[in-house]
Amino acid sequence: MEATTIVLFGATGDLAKRKIYPALYNLFVDGKLPEPFSVFGLGRREWSDAKLQENVEQSILTFSRRKPEDTDKLQAFLSAFRYSVLDVDREEDYKKLLDMVESREEELGIPQNRLFYLSVGPEYFKTIAYNIKSSGLGTTKGWKRLVIEKPFGHDLASARDLNEKLSAAFTEDEIFRIDHYLGKPVVQKMEMLQHANPVLQAFWTNRYIANVQITANETVGVEERAGYYDKSGAIRDMFQNHMLQLLMMLAIHLPSDSGPGDVRARKKEVVEALVPVQAGNIASQVVRGQYAEGSINGKPVAGYTSEPGIAADSRNDTFVAARLEIDNYFWRGVPIYIRTGKRLKEKSTRIVIEFKEPLKSAASKESGIAPNLLVFEMAPNESITLQLNTRDPGGSGEFKPMNVDLHTHRDNTAEAYENLIHDAFRGDATFFAHWDEVERSWQWVEPILNAFANNEVPLRLYEAGSYGPKESDELLAGDGFHWWFDDIDAKAKQENQEGEQQYAYHANH
Ligand code: NAP
């Protein structure tokens, strides 16, 4: 990996502290950082190099999955950090920064490879991109890259405007849009599993798949993000980006000799093939919910409109469920259900592929044969399991589901930010969101945003601590399905897992 300078906007902020510094440190310990590397932390606060280094150290001690054991190693890591005061609007701050970056590159004898990481509010993205270009920071003799975090726009028009401004300073190949769901090990394994297993490849089609369910349920409420969340809602905060990205990753079919470009090309094909929601028909395909008061884990919690910073008459969505279809050769006719929301019963992020039961009869139903499921679980635990049926070896003669475990979670599994930052250093854009995907996702979501804004979709209140409005269940029931692992299924799954340990097959053993 080539020596690199990281220019980190927002070095004094929360994301840097909780995610970026621990990720950089773990990459350093694993020998996965460019050698040498240097970091320029930026912010308006009048910090010194020493003050930044102190904060980085504190962040590692508090948030890193690995605690530093070797003091020399930690010091070597910290010594790569420099700080410069920069206000995004002040041109002279960029000039000063350029001088510092150039002299450090000379001092270390490294090429001018610069990775600009924007860990600041999206309202600053355009100004920073403009100033990187106009100050000469972006005119390098090496490569330059831009790493940004969502949100990428508030709607289609603002996303296009943002992209136009970024494109004036960086080419698409140089822009790395982080969607941290794409950094999760389970998501990164999806493509590999399909690739490496002809049997899964063969089953990855509408011939065998009955439906797909993508869930991202949270127990937390709006927390301290009222100002942002009340203008975004679940549809912008989760659905347009994370949920549609998960769908794209799941639905791609790759040739065996595929590379990063193929993943992006296929993802684009998937999102392009999403059947558009029809303006007059949105309420039958999309459920819009908002949490009312209730209880989470036995503790009473307030309803959304009683949360601090939220207007009493807010009609913002804290829950969205939708039924989608992909109109292509592989997926035509397979309903895809997506739901995400806050203040729900359990925290869970998972994808369930439910397979068809072509020979299902009343007798097989009575004997307890469950559909085969392929389950990608990202939270609360990480796992990939294939649920098959077998006869209970205990001798009762009943059928019982057993889980083939396809993913062993190790404690040192790299966290999403480590995977993604490492990829950005290497210039591998496979697990980043391409502009085409972002634009098409906004395009697909736009009629829903309009329908919500015009109140054309009823706002369903749901009790905090439930699984969301009952209309979300009805969305599936209309097709003869139900959400897997809610309530009774969650309990059954747990019992099965406990009782079935003896015949669970662990792929890595
Ligand atoms: P934050 O704690 O409020 O930090 C914002 C950073 O921006 C601070 O370092 C601040 O530095 C800097 N900043 C603000 N105004 C500035 C200006 N005019 N000139 C220069 N620097 C300025 O926010 P955050 O939580 O780190 O979030 C940063 C971005 O990441 C946001 O876009 C957020 O949506 C996104 N994000 C955050 C998380 C998370 O877990 N926190 C997760 C996903 C995405 P000074 O105050 O020193 O100027």
Short mmCIF file of all heavy atoms in Angstrom, two decimals, residues 8-21 42-47 83 85-90 93-94 117-125 128 148-151 178 180 225 228 242 417, ligand 1:
data_model
loop_
_atom_site.label_atom_id
_atom_site.label_comp_id
_atom_site.label_asym_id
_atom_site.label_seq_id
_atom_site.Cartn_x
_atom_site.Cartn_y
_atom_site.Cartn_z
N LEU A 8 -8.21 14.91 7.71
CA LEU A 8 -9.47 14.57 8.38
C LEU A 8 -10.21 15.83 8.84
O LEU A 8 -9.83 16.45 9.84
CB LEU A 8 -9.17 13.64 9.57
CG LEU A 8 -10.35 13.24 10.43
CD1 LEU A 8 -11.38 12.44 9.63
CD2 LEU A 8 -9.89 12.41 11.63
N PHE A 9 -11.27 16.18 8.13
CA PHE A 9 -12.14 17.28 8.56
C PHE A 9 -13.05 16.73 9.65
O PHE A 9 -13.60 15.64 9.51
CB PHE A 9 -12.98 17.79 7.37
CG PHE A 9 -12.16 18.44 6.29
CD1 PHE A 9 -11.47 17.67 5.35
CD2 PHE A 9 -12.07 19.81 6.20
CE1 PHE A 9 -10.71 18.27 4.36
CE2 PHE A 9 -11.30 20.42 5.21
CZ PHE A 9 -10.62 19.65 4.29
N GLY A 10 -13.23 17.50 10.74
CA GLY A 10 -14.09 17.00 11.83
C GLY A 10 -13.31 16.14 12.81
O GLY A 10 -13.88 15.25 13.45
N ALA A 11 -12.00 16.42 12.95
CA ALA A 11 -11.15 15.60 13.82
C ALA A 11 -11.49 15.76 15.29
O ALA A 11 -11.09 14.94 16.12
CB ALA A 11 -9.68 15.97 13.59
N THR A 12 -12.23 16.82 15.63
CA THR A 12 -12.58 17.03 17.04
C THR A 12 -13.97 16.47 17.35
O THR A 12 -14.46 16.61 18.46
CB THR A 12 -12.58 18.55 17.35
OG1 THR A 12 -13.50 19.18 16.43
CG2 THR A 12 -11.22 19.16 17.20
N GLY A 13 -14.60 15.84 16.37
CA GLY A 13 -16.01 15.43 16.51
C GLY A 13 -16.21 14.01 17.02
O GLY A 13 -15.26 13.26 17.27
N ASP A 14 -17.49 13.69 17.10
CA ASP A 14 -17.92 12.43 17.70
C ASP A 14 -17.60 11.20 16.84
O ASP A 14 -17.14 10.17 17.33
CB ASP A 14 -19.44 12.55 17.91
CG ASP A 14 -20.01 11.35 18.62
OD1 ASP A 14 -19.60 11.14 19.77
OD2 ASP A 14 -20.82 10.64 18.03
N LEU A 15 -17.84 11.32 15.54
CA LEU A 15 -17.60 10.17 14.66
C LEU A 15 -16.11 9.79 14.64
O LEU A 15 -15.75 8.61 14.69
CB LEU A 15 -18.09 10.49 13.24
CG LEU A 15 -17.93 9.36 12.23
CD1 LEU A 15 -18.85 8.19 12.54
CD2 LEU A 15 -18.21 9.86 10.81
N ALA A 16 -15.27 10.83 14.59
CA ALA A 16 -13.82 10.59 14.60
C ALA A 16 -13.44 9.85 15.88
O ALA A 16 -12.71 8.85 15.85
CB ALA A 16 -13.06 11.91 14.50
N LYS A 17 -13.98 10.33 16.98
CA LYS A 17 -13.63 9.75 18.29
C LYS A 17 -14.12 8.31 18.44
O LYS A 17 -13.39 7.44 18.88
CB LYS A 17 -14.28 10.64 19.37
CG LYS A 17 -14.07 10.18 20.78
CD LYS A 17 -14.59 11.21 21.77
CE LYS A 17 -16.12 11.21 21.78
NZ LYS A 17 -16.70 12.22 22.66
N ARG A 18 -15.37 8.08 18.03
CA ARG A 18 -15.96 6.77 18.30
C ARG A 18 -15.59 5.72 17.26
O ARG A 18 -15.52 4.53 17.56
CB ARG A 18 -17.49 6.88 18.41
CG ARG A 18 -17.90 7.59 19.69
CD ARG A 18 -19.35 7.41 20.05
NE ARG A 18 -20.23 7.81 18.99
CZ ARG A 18 -21.03 7.00 18.33
NH1 ARG A 18 -21.07 5.72 18.61
NH2 ARG A 18 -21.80 7.45 17.37
N LYS A 19 -15.39 6.14 16.02
CA LYS A 19 -15.19 5.16 14.95
C LYS A 19 -13.85 5.26 14.22
O LYS A 19 -13.19 4.26 13.98
CB LYS A 19 -16.31 5.30 13.90
CG LYS A 19 -17.71 5.04 14.44
CD LYS A 19 -17.90 3.58 14.75
CE LYS A 19 -19.28 3.29 15.29
NZ LYS A 19 -19.41 1.95 15.82
N ILE A 20 -13.49 6.51 13.82
CA ILE A 20 -12.35 6.62 12.89
C ILE A 20 -11.01 6.32 13.58
O ILE A 20 -10.21 5.53 13.07
CB ILE A 20 -12.36 8.00 12.20
CG1 ILE A 20 -13.68 8.19 11.43
CG2 ILE A 20 -11.17 8.14 11.25
CD1 ILE A 20 -13.88 9.57 10.85
N TYR A 21 -10.77 6.94 14.75
CA TYR A 21 -9.48 6.69 15.43
C TYR A 21 -9.31 5.23 15.84
O TYR A 21 -8.26 4.64 15.59
CB TYR A 21 -9.30 7.64 16.63
CG TYR A 21 -9.31 9.11 16.23
CD1 TYR A 21 -9.96 10.06 17.00
CD2 TYR A 21 -8.67 9.53 15.07
CE1 TYR A 21 -9.97 11.40 16.62
CE2 TYR A 21 -8.69 10.86 14.68
CZ TYR A 21 -9.35 11.79 15.46
OH TYR A 21 -9.37 13.10 15.08
N LEU A 42 -8.42 18.29 11.54
CA LEU A 42 -8.87 19.67 11.37
C LEU A 42 -10.15 19.95 12.14
O LEU A 42 -10.99 19.06 12.29
CB LEU A 42 -9.15 19.94 9.87
CG LEU A 42 -8.08 19.52 8.89
CD1 LEU A 42 -8.62 19.59 7.47
CD2 LEU A 42 -6.86 20.42 9.04
N GLY A 43 -10.29 21.18 12.59
CA GLY A 43 -11.51 21.62 13.27
C GLY A 43 -11.32 23.08 13.63
O GLY A 43 -10.22 23.62 13.48
N ARG A 44 -12.39 23.71 14.10
CA ARG A 44 -12.25 25.14 14.47
C ARG A 44 -11.59 25.30 15.84
O ARG A 44 -11.04 26.33 16.15
CB ARG A 44 -13.62 25.81 14.48
CG ARG A 44 -14.19 26.06 13.10
CD ARG A 44 -15.65 26.38 13.20
NE ARG A 44 -16.33 25.32 13.94
CZ ARG A 44 -17.61 25.34 14.27
NH1 ARG A 44 -18.36 26.35 13.94
NH2 ARG A 44 -18.14 24.34 14.95
N ARG A 45 -11.69 24.27 16.67
CA ARG A 45 -11.14 24.38 18.01
C ARG A 45 -9.63 24.61 17.99
O ARG A 45 -8.95 24.05 17.14
CB ARG A 45 -11.43 23.09 18.80
CG ARG A 45 -12.76 23.16 19.51
CD ARG A 45 -13.23 21.80 19.91
NE ARG A 45 -14.32 21.37 19.02
CZ ARG A 45 -15.12 20.34 19.28
NH1 ARG A 45 -14.93 19.62 20.36
NH2 ARG A 45 -16.10 20.03 18.44
N GLU A 46 -9.17 25.41 18.93
CA GLU A 46 -7.75 25.78 18.96
C GLU A 46 -6.94 24.66 19.62
O GLU A 46 -6.43 24.84 20.72
CB GLU A 46 -7.56 27.10 19.73
CG GLU A 46 -8.25 28.31 19.10
CD GLU A 46 -7.47 28.87 17.91
OE1 GLU A 46 -6.27 28.57 17.79
OE2 GLU A 46 -8.09 29.57 17.09
N TRP A 47 -6.85 23.54 18.98
CA TRP A 47 -6.10 22.42 19.55
C TRP A 47 -4.66 22.46 19.06
O TRP A 47 -4.37 23.03 18.00
CB TRP A 47 -6.72 21.08 19.12
CG TRP A 47 -7.94 20.67 19.89
CD1 TRP A 47 -8.66 21.44 20.76
CD2 TRP A 47 -8.60 19.38 19.84
NE1 TRP A 47 -9.72 20.72 21.25
CE2 TRP A 47 -9.70 19.45 20.71
CE3 TRP A 47 -8.35 18.20 19.17
CZ2 TRP A 47 -10.56 18.38 20.91
CZ3 TRP A 47 -9.20 17.13 19.36
CH2 TRP A 47 -10.30 17.21 20.23
N TYR A 83 -2.25 18.57 13.99
CA TYR A 83 -3.53 19.29 14.01
C TYR A 83 -3.38 20.65 13.36
O TYR A 83 -2.34 21.30 13.48
CB TYR A 83 -3.99 19.47 15.46
CG TYR A 83 -5.38 20.10 15.55
CD1 TYR A 83 -6.51 19.34 15.32
CD2 TYR A 83 -5.53 21.46 15.84
CE1 TYR A 83 -7.78 19.91 15.38
CE2 TYR A 83 -6.80 22.03 15.90
CZ TYR A 83 -7.92 21.25 15.67
OH TYR A 83 -9.17 21.82 15.73
N VAL A 85 -5.87 24.27 12.74
CA VAL A 85 -7.18 24.92 12.88
C VAL A 85 -7.70 25.25 11.49
O VAL A 85 -6.96 25.78 10.65
CB VAL A 85 -7.06 26.21 13.72
CG1 VAL A 85 -8.40 26.94 13.76
CG2 VAL A 85 -6.57 25.89 15.12
N LEU A 86 -8.94 24.87 11.23
CA LEU A 86 -9.52 25.18 9.92
C LEU A 86 -11.01 25.41 10.06
O LEU A 86 -11.73 24.59 10.65
CB LEU A 86 -9.25 24.02 8.94
CG LEU A 86 -9.82 24.19 7.53
CD1 LEU A 86 -8.83 23.69 6.48
CD2 LEU A 86 -11.16 23.48 7.34
N ASP A 87 -11.43 26.56 9.56
CA ASP A 87 -12.87 26.81 9.43
C ASP A 87 -13.20 26.59 7.97
O ASP A 87 -12.51 27.13 7.10
CB ASP A 87 -13.18 28.26 9.85
CG ASP A 87 -14.68 28.52 9.87
OD1 ASP A 87 -15.36 28.10 8.90
OD2 ASP A 87 -15.16 29.11 10.85
N VAL A 88 -14.20 25.80 7.70
CA VAL A 88 -14.45 25.38 6.31
C VAL A 88 -14.60 26.56 5.35
O VAL A 88 -14.31 26.44 4.17
CB VAL A 88 -15.68 24.45 6.17
CG1 VAL A 88 -15.49 23.16 6.92
CG2 VAL A 88 -16.96 25.13 6.58
N ASP A 89 -15.04 27.72 5.86
CA ASP A 89 -15.26 28.87 4.99
C ASP A 89 -14.02 29.74 4.78
O ASP A 89 -14.04 30.65 3.97
CB ASP A 89 -16.36 29.77 5.58
CG ASP A 89 -17.70 29.07 5.56
OD1 ASP A 89 -18.04 28.49 4.52
OD2 ASP A 89 -18.40 29.10 6.60
N ARG A 90 -12.96 29.48 5.55
CA ARG A 90 -11.81 30.40 5.51
C ARG A 90 -10.72 29.89 4.58
O ARG A 90 -10.02 28.93 4.88
CB ARG A 90 -11.24 30.57 6.92
CG ARG A 90 -11.64 31.88 7.54
CD ARG A 90 -10.86 32.27 8.76
NE ARG A 90 -10.31 31.23 9.56
CZ ARG A 90 -10.66 30.96 10.83
NH1 ARG A 90 -11.58 31.68 11.43
NH2 ARG A 90 -10.07 30.01 11.50
N ASP A 93 -7.11 29.21 5.69
CA ASP A 93 -6.85 28.00 6.48
C ASP A 93 -6.43 26.83 5.57
O ASP A 93 -5.62 25.99 5.95
CB ASP A 93 -8.09 27.60 7.29
CG ASP A 93 -8.37 28.58 8.43
OD1 ASP A 93 -7.51 29.44 8.68
OD2 ASP A 93 -9.44 28.47 9.05
N TYR A 94 -7.00 26.81 4.37
CA TYR A 94 -6.65 25.73 3.42
C TYR A 94 -5.22 25.94 2.90
O TYR A 94 -4.48 24.99 2.70
CB TYR A 94 -7.63 25.69 2.26
CG TYR A 94 -9.05 25.28 2.65
CD1 TYR A 94 -9.96 26.21 3.13
CD2 TYR A 94 -9.47 23.96 2.52
CE1 TYR A 94 -11.25 25.84 3.49
CE2 TYR A 94 -10.76 23.57 2.87
CZ TYR A 94 -11.65 24.53 3.36
OH TYR A 94 -12.93 24.16 3.70
N TYR A 117 -10.99 12.98 4.26
CA TYR A 117 -12.10 12.31 4.95
C TYR A 117 -12.97 13.40 5.57
O TYR A 117 -12.52 14.14 6.45
CB TYR A 117 -11.54 11.37 6.03
CG TYR A 117 -12.52 10.34 6.54
CD1 TYR A 117 -12.16 9.00 6.66
CD2 TYR A 117 -13.82 10.68 6.92
CE1 TYR A 117 -13.05 8.05 7.14
CE2 TYR A 117 -14.72 9.74 7.38
CZ TYR A 117 -14.32 8.43 7.49
OH TYR A 117 -15.21 7.49 7.97
N LEU A 118 -14.23 13.49 5.11
CA LEU A 118 -15.12 14.55 5.59
C LEU A 118 -16.04 14.03 6.70
O LEU A 118 -17.15 13.58 6.44
CB LEU A 118 -15.97 15.09 4.41
CG LEU A 118 -15.34 16.20 3.58
CD1 LEU A 118 -13.91 15.96 3.21
CD2 LEU A 118 -16.17 16.48 2.34
N SER A 119 -15.55 14.11 7.93
CA SER A 119 -16.35 13.67 9.07
C SER A 119 -17.04 14.89 9.69
O SER A 119 -16.87 15.19 10.87
CB SER A 119 -15.45 12.96 10.08
OG SER A 119 -16.20 12.55 11.18
N VAL A 120 -17.76 15.60 8.84
CA VAL A 120 -18.46 16.83 9.26
C VAL A 120 -19.87 16.78 8.70
O VAL A 120 -20.18 15.92 7.86
CB VAL A 120 -17.76 18.09 8.70
CG1 VAL A 120 -16.40 18.30 9.34
CG2 VAL A 120 -17.63 18.01 7.18
N GLY A 121 -20.70 17.71 9.12
CA GLY A 121 -22.08 17.75 8.63
C GLY A 121 -22.12 17.89 7.11
O GLY A 121 -21.23 18.51 6.51
N PRO A 122 -23.14 17.32 6.46
CA PRO A 122 -23.22 17.34 5.00
C PRO A 122 -23.35 18.74 4.42
O PRO A 122 -23.03 18.96 3.25
CB PRO A 122 -24.49 16.52 4.71
CG PRO A 122 -25.26 16.49 5.99
CD PRO A 122 -24.26 16.62 7.09
N GLU A 123 -23.78 19.69 5.25
CA GLU A 123 -23.93 21.07 4.75
C GLU A 123 -22.57 21.66 4.37
O GLU A 123 -22.49 22.67 3.68
CB GLU A 123 -24.67 21.94 5.76
CG GLU A 123 -24.00 22.18 7.11
CD GLU A 123 -24.22 21.04 8.13
OE1 GLU A 123 -24.53 19.91 7.72
OE2 GLU A 123 -24.03 21.29 9.34
N TYR A 124 -21.46 21.03 4.83
CA TYR A 124 -20.12 21.56 4.53
C TYR A 124 -19.46 20.88 3.34
O TYR A 124 -18.39 21.30 2.91
CB TYR A 124 -19.21 21.38 5.75
CG TYR A 124 -19.70 22.11 6.98
CD1 TYR A 124 -19.85 21.44 8.20
CD2 TYR A 124 -20.00 23.46 6.94
CE1 TYR A 124 -20.29 22.11 9.33
CE2 TYR A 124 -20.44 24.14 8.06
CZ TYR A 124 -20.59 23.46 9.25
OH TYR A 124 -21.03 24.11 10.36
N PHE A 125 -20.04 19.81 2.85
CA PHE A 125 -19.36 19.01 1.80
C PHE A 125 -18.98 19.86 0.58
O PHE A 125 -17.85 19.79 0.09
CB PHE A 125 -20.25 17.85 1.33
CG PHE A 125 -20.46 16.73 2.33
CD1 PHE A 125 -21.30 15.66 2.03
CD2 PHE A 125 -19.84 16.74 3.57
CE1 PHE A 125 -21.51 14.63 2.93
CE2 PHE A 125 -20.04 15.70 4.49
CZ PHE A 125 -20.89 14.66 4.16
N ILE A 128 -16.19 22.46 1.25
CA ILE A 128 -14.87 21.83 1.44
C ILE A 128 -14.32 21.35 0.08
O ILE A 128 -13.16 21.59 -0.24
CB ILE A 128 -14.95 20.65 2.45
CG1 ILE A 128 -15.32 21.19 3.84
CG2 ILE A 128 -13.65 19.87 2.49
CD1 ILE A 128 -15.53 20.11 4.90
N ILE A 148 -16.76 10.36 2.12
CA ILE A 148 -17.85 11.09 2.77
C ILE A 148 -18.84 10.12 3.38
O ILE A 148 -18.94 8.96 2.99
CB ILE A 148 -18.59 12.07 1.81
CG1 ILE A 148 -19.02 11.37 0.52
CG2 ILE A 148 -17.76 13.28 1.52
CD1 ILE A 148 -19.90 12.22 -0.37
N GLU A 149 -19.56 10.65 4.36
CA GLU A 149 -20.57 9.87 5.09
C GLU A 149 -21.94 10.34 4.64
O GLU A 149 -22.12 11.51 4.34
CB GLU A 149 -20.45 10.19 6.59
CG GLU A 149 -19.15 9.80 7.22
CD GLU A 149 -19.19 8.41 7.81
OE1 GLU A 149 -20.28 7.86 7.99
OE2 GLU A 149 -18.11 7.88 8.07
N LYS A 150 -22.92 9.46 4.74
CA LYS A 150 -24.28 9.89 4.44
C LYS A 150 -24.71 10.97 5.45
O LYS A 150 -24.14 11.01 6.54
CB LYS A 150 -25.24 8.70 4.47
CG LYS A 150 -25.42 8.11 5.88
CD LYS A 150 -26.80 7.63 6.18
CE LYS A 150 -27.07 7.70 7.64
NZ LYS A 150 -28.19 7.07 8.19
N PRO A 151 -25.70 11.80 5.21
CA PRO A 151 -26.62 11.72 4.07
C PRO A 151 -26.06 12.36 2.79
O PRO A 151 -25.42 13.39 2.86
CB PRO A 151 -27.83 12.52 4.58
CG PRO A 151 -27.28 13.50 5.55
CD PRO A 151 -26.10 12.83 6.18
N ILE A 178 -19.33 6.36 2.09
CA ILE A 178 -19.46 5.31 3.10
C ILE A 178 -20.93 5.05 3.40
O ILE A 178 -21.69 5.96 3.70
CB ILE A 178 -18.74 5.70 4.41
CG1 ILE A 178 -17.23 5.62 4.20
CG2 ILE A 178 -19.18 4.80 5.57
CD1 ILE A 178 -16.41 5.64 5.45
N HIS A 180 -22.06 2.44 6.08
CA HIS A 180 -21.31 1.51 6.93
C HIS A 180 -21.96 0.11 6.98
O HIS A 180 -21.31 -0.84 7.37
CB HIS A 180 -21.07 2.08 8.33
CG HIS A 180 -22.30 2.22 9.16
ND1 HIS A 180 -23.10 3.31 9.11
CD2 HIS A 180 -22.87 1.37 10.05
CE1 HIS A 180 -24.11 3.14 9.93
NE2 HIS A 180 -24.00 1.97 10.52
N ARG A 225 -30.93 13.46 18.39
CA ARG A 225 -30.85 13.87 16.99
C ARG A 225 -32.15 14.48 16.47
O ARG A 225 -32.44 14.43 15.28
CB ARG A 225 -30.47 12.67 16.12
CG ARG A 225 -29.12 12.07 16.49
CD ARG A 225 -29.01 10.67 15.91
NE ARG A 225 -28.82 10.66 14.47
CZ ARG A 225 -29.31 9.72 13.66
NH1 ARG A 225 -30.05 8.76 14.15
NH2 ARG A 225 -29.10 9.77 12.37
N TYR A 228 -32.20 16.81 13.31
CA TYR A 228 -31.95 16.13 12.03
C TYR A 228 -33.07 15.14 11.72
O TYR A 228 -33.64 15.14 10.63
CB TYR A 228 -30.60 15.39 12.11
CG TYR A 228 -30.47 14.23 11.16
CD1 TYR A 228 -30.22 14.45 9.80
CD2 TYR A 228 -30.61 12.91 11.60
CE1 TYR A 228 -30.12 13.38 8.92
CE2 TYR A 228 -30.53 11.85 10.72
CZ TYR A 228 -30.28 12.09 9.39
OH TYR A 228 -30.20 11.03 8.52
N HIS A 242 -29.28 2.64 3.64
CA HIS A 242 -28.86 1.33 4.15
C HIS A 242 -29.74 0.19 3.63
O HIS A 242 -29.24 -0.86 3.22
CB HIS A 242 -28.91 1.31 5.68
CG HIS A 242 -28.12 2.40 6.33
ND1 HIS A 242 -26.83 2.69 5.94
CD2 HIS A 242 -28.41 3.27 7.32
CE1 HIS A 242 -26.37 3.69 6.68
NE2 HIS A 242 -27.32 4.05 7.52
N TYR A 417 -16.00 0.01 10.00
CA TYR A 417 -15.15 1.14 9.62
C TYR A 417 -13.73 0.71 9.27
O TYR A 417 -13.09 1.32 8.42
CB TYR A 417 -15.14 2.20 10.74
CG TYR A 417 -16.29 3.15 10.59
CD1 TYR A 417 -17.53 2.85 11.12
CD2 TYR A 417 -16.16 4.34 9.86
CE1 TYR A 417 -18.61 3.70 10.95
CE2 TYR A 417 -17.23 5.19 9.69
CZ TYR A 417 -18.45 4.87 10.24
OH TYR A 417 -19.51 5.71 10.05
P1 NAP B 1 -19.98 16.33 15.53
O1 NAP B 1 -19.59 15.58 16.73
O2 NAP B 1 -20.94 17.46 15.66
O3 NAP B 1 -18.64 16.87 14.88
C1 NAP B 1 -18.65 17.79 13.85
C2 NAP B 1 -17.22 18.11 13.47
O4 NAP B 1 -17.29 19.10 12.45
C3 NAP B 1 -16.41 18.65 14.61
O5 NAP B 1 -15.12 18.12 14.56
C4 NAP B 1 -16.37 20.14 14.32
O6 NAP B 1 -15.17 20.69 14.75
C5 NAP B 1 -16.41 20.16 12.81
N1 NAP B 1 -16.97 21.42 12.31
C6 NAP B 1 -18.21 21.90 12.49
N2 NAP B 1 -18.35 23.08 11.89
C7 NAP B 1 -17.16 23.36 11.30
C8 NAP B 1 -16.68 24.44 10.53
N3 NAP B 1 -17.42 25.51 10.22
N4 NAP B 1 -15.41 24.39 10.08
C9 NAP B 1 -14.64 23.32 10.38
N5 NAP B 1 -15.03 22.27 11.10
C10 NAP B 1 -16.28 22.29 11.57
O7 NAP B 1 -20.57 15.39 14.39
P2 NAP B 1 -20.25 13.83 14.14
O8 NAP B 1 -21.19 13.02 14.95
O9 NAP B 1 -18.80 13.60 14.30
O10 NAP B 1 -20.71 13.63 12.64
C11 NAP B 1 -19.94 14.04 11.53
C12 NAP B 1 -20.63 13.56 10.27
O11 NAP B 1 -20.71 12.16 10.22
C13 NAP B 1 -22.07 14.05 10.13
O12 NAP B 1 -22.30 14.32 8.78
C14 NAP B 1 -22.91 12.87 10.55
O13 NAP B 1 -24.15 12.86 9.89
C15 NAP B 1 -22.05 11.73 10.05
N6 NAP B 1 -22.24 10.50 10.80
C16 NAP B 1 -22.00 10.43 12.14
C17 NAP B 1 -22.13 9.22 12.82
C18 NAP B 1 -21.81 9.11 14.30
O14 NAP B 1 -21.81 7.98 14.78
N7 NAP B 1 -21.53 10.16 15.00
C19 NAP B 1 -22.51 8.07 12.12
C20 NAP B 1 -22.73 8.16 10.74
C21 NAP B 1 -22.58 9.38 10.10
P3 NAP B 1 -15.07 22.07 15.61
O15 NAP B 1 -16.24 22.11 16.51
O16 NAP B 1 -13.76 21.95 16.31
O17 NAP B 1 -15.09 23.10 14.58
#
